[in-house]
Amino acid sequence: MPKLKTRKGVAKRFKITKKGKVKYHPCGKKHLASNKDRKQKRKLKKQDTLANKKNAQYLKRLLPYG
């Protein structure tokens, strides 16, 4: 059986944790940050896990060797 292909765009944005959750960095930190307050920028620094189980299931299919 041939190897499965990984979706590279998804691989750059999401990682699978050891317990199988999908983690990611929220968007909105790269530019136009001077308009945002400190609290919002500090919150955007932290990684987050995907809460929606259907989306997580879909992303795991796109990352076969995640």
Side-chain angles (χ1 to χ4, degrees):
M1 195 166 155
K3 288 196 264 185
L4 299 172
K5 287 198 170 187
T6 300
R7 295 290 176 132
K8 290 304 195 177
V10 176
K12 291 171 190 174
R13 290 169 175 84
F14 300 95
K15 300 284 180 241
I16 306 286
T17 62
K18 199 170 186 179
K19 291 195 175 190
K21 294 180 183 177
V22 179
K23 67 178 183 178
Y24 68 98
H25 281 285
C27 62
K29 180 104 189 347
K30 295 293 181 189
H31 61 96
L32 299 176
S34 58
N35 300 337
K36 297 175 178 112
D37 58 318
R38 266 189 216 145
K39 186 178 176 183
Q40 187 180 3
K41 286 188 276 191
R42 194 167 53 243
K43 196 173 178 186
L44 288 172
K45 268 190 227 174
K46 297 179 181 175
Q47 285 188 337
D48 204 4
T49 56
L50 209 59
N52 192 338
K53 291 192 177 181
K54 275 287 184 194
N55 284 346
Q57 209 174 26
Y58 175 67
L59 287 169
K60 283 180 194 175
R61 201 177 318 137
L62 297 176
L63 296 167
Y65 305 107

